[in-house]
Amino acid sequence: MTLKCRECRECNGIACRGEIPGVGGKDTGRSFIRNVEAFRKVRINMDVCAEPGEISTGTKILGVNLSVPVFMAPVAGIRNNYGADIDEYDYNCMMLDGCDLAGIRGFTGDGIDIERLFAVPARAVNDHDGHGIVTIKPWVREGVDARIEILSKLKFDMAAMDIDAAGLPLLRAGKTPVETKTAEELRYIRNRLGKPFIVKGVMTVHAAQTAVEAGCDAIVVSNHGGRVLDDTPGTIEVLPEIAAAVKGKITILLDGGVRTGNDIFKALALGADGVLIGRPLALACVKGGAEGIRTAVEGLQRQLKDTMLMTGCHCIADITAEKVRIVD
Ligand SMILES: Cc1cc2nc3c(=O)[nH]c(=O)nc-3n(C[C@H](O)[C@H](O)[C@H](O)COP(=O)(O)O)c2cc1C
């Protein structure tokens, strides 16, 4: 099996820039590259003058207990993008098994082929006792309604919409195209779903406030791993201003460039309640199946725990803004 992913030592978007289909970022790939680089501008304030004691990385997000504040991001089209010889159902089952083993939750994806790219992954969630988050692309009403109809017969924890897929040329050209979303439309979807609803693809205070106004339950500060627009800021760069505006009003998640336990720590310190990880966990799944995900998440948890010890944190709530500094 020759994978399209080059399995770089650090997954930073340089070798694969512009490769879509593939695992790269759009055009020059700068948004993906910047997501990773921006984390290096956040430094951790070491301080071990603290009470010794147990350290826990456990948390509860949107009613779900997690061993560590991490979700597996939606990664659709595993054959097309990774060149992996795995069908969508098998990938999603391995991914969800891995998340169960690791004590985290996974998101499934969506695409034009409603059966293969939406219903099949959603059935994988159903077959895992509903332990998973199904993601719907920002279709016009007809496309959203068709997917909610499929979900009405299935078990799932919560749902998400990657609103930042509104510009994907392939999806805009289809018979049922994608579109940009207003607060009114997001409220309609939230109400029809009747489950926690996560808006993924928020990069401004305005978009975050729109999700709050619509009564959504969470946002993911995300630029789709740099796959939808070149030259955006890194996600960690916009997190502080978004957190200042909406923290306490809505759950805040972040993805894009989260590679280490230290990156998780930095995102939490700057206002996120949890993170999503895309490419590194998708690769761990393609190469090592469910065990691959478990091993990768355990590594992240180990580093997060070490960093909590070195900064005087005993629990996730102790990870606050004064634990980090941002440099130019
Ligand atoms: C191959 C590939 C497919 C993706 N498919 C989806 C998708 O169907 N829905 C979605 O919301 N995001 C999708 N994403 C974006 C991820 O969910 C996530 O936002 C991004 O990968 C996070 O950045 P990271 O890979 O640097 O961790 C995809 C990303 C990749 C690399």
Side-chain angles (χ1 to χ4, degrees):
M1 172 172 73
T2 311
L3 291 183
K4 290 186 187 173
C5 172
R6 291 173 184 71
E7 303 178 46
C8 303
R9 196 183 167 94
E10 180 185 58
C11 173
N12 57 18
I14 293 173
C16 58
R17 51 167 84 211
E19 293 181 4
I20 303 177
V23 295
K26 189 177 179 183
D27 298 338
T28 68
R30 278 198 286 265
S31 297
F32 174 5
I33 294 166
R34 190 167 296 128
N35 280 345
V36 177
E37 281 176 351
F39 272 96
R40 309 288 88 87
K41 292 189 195 161
V42 186
R43 308 270 161 85
I44 297 170
N45 295 328
M46 189 179 84
D47 183 352
V48 286
C49 290
E51 285 287 331
E54 282 296 300
I55 295 171
S56 166
T57 62
T59 189
K60 193 173 194 169
I61 298 180
L62 298 169
V64 175
N65 288 316
L66 303 169
S67 63
V68 59
V70 171
F71 296 85
M72 165 81 222
V75 173
I78 207 72
R79 202 181 284 275
N80 202 18
N81 287 312
Y82 275 83
D85 192 17
I86 310 172
D87 73 30
E88 217 62 22
Y89 182 78
D90 291 342
Y91 166 74
N92 280 288
C93 283
M94 284 194 304
M95 182 275 286
L96 294 166
D97 282 341
C99 289
D100 275 345
L101 289 174
I104 64 167
R105 282 290 198 272
F107 286 66
T108 58
D110 188 11
I112 290 186
D113 183 339
I114 185 169
E115 174 57 28
R116 189 173 66 83
L117 293 172
F118 180 78
V120 163
R123 260 180 239 127
V125 171
N126 177 74
D127 298 346
H128 283 75
D129 211 21
H131 288 181
I133 302 127
V134 291
T135 310
I136 304 175
K137 289 237 165 327
W139 311 106
V140 294
R141 264 292 166 94
E142 180 194 338
V144 172
D145 284 343
R147 284 161 178 82
I148 294 177
E149 183 56 34
I150 290 171
L151 291 179
S152 68
K153 301 177 189 75
L154 300 176
K155 284 186 282 183
F156 60 103
D157 286 329
M158 29 188 150
M161 176 167 280
D162 50 333
I163 56 168
D164 53 3
L168 288 176
L170 197 69
L171 305 187
R172 266 180 22 220
K175 199 159 64 65
T176 310
V178 288
E179 63 179 7
T180 53
K181 294 293 176 194
T182 59
E184 193 184 10
E185 192 62 18
L186 292 174
R187 190 175 310 111
Y188 165 83
I189 299 163
R190 166 71 181 84
N191 290 344
R192 274 217 64 190
L193 280 164
K195 292 268 174 99
F197 180 51
I198 303 168
V199 178
K200 178 172 180 283
V202 167
M203 288 293 286
T204 62
V205 168
H206 169 257
Q209 283 170 338
T210 303
V212 171
E213 185 191 331
C216 300
D217 302 276
I219 53 168
V220 187
V221 175
S222 172
N223 56 17
H224 216 102
R227 289 168 72 81
V228 290
L229 177 65
D230 204 358
D231 275 323
T232 71
T235 53
I236 195 74
E237 290 179 290
V238 298
L239 176 62
E241 68 210 43
I242 291 175
V246 300
K247 185 89 182 165
K249 299 180 186 159
I250 195 164
T251 296
I252 304 174
L253 306 174
L254 171 138
D255 77 13
V258 179
R259 298 292 177 262
T260 64
N262 281 3
D263 293 342
I264 300 169
F265 183 93
K266 292 171 187 182
L268 299 180
L270 293 175
D273 297 292
V275 301
L276 281 59
I277 300 179
R279 296 169 180 94
L281 289 185
L283 181 65
C285 185
V286 166
K287 301 267 297 186
E291 279 300 333
I293 294 197
R294 190 224 297 251
T295 306
V297 174
E298 281 176 356
L300 294 166
Q301 185 179 22
R302 231 178 353 259
Q303 192 186 38
L304 175 60
K305 225 171 176 173
D306 284 352
T307 302
M308 288 170 72
L309 185 148
M310 295 304 293
T311 51
C313 298
H314 291 96
C315 65
I316 293 298
D318 291 341
I319 305 174
T320 49
E322 64 276 14
K323 303 289 178 187
V324 296
R325 70 184 57 230
I326 301 171
V327 298
D328 276 337

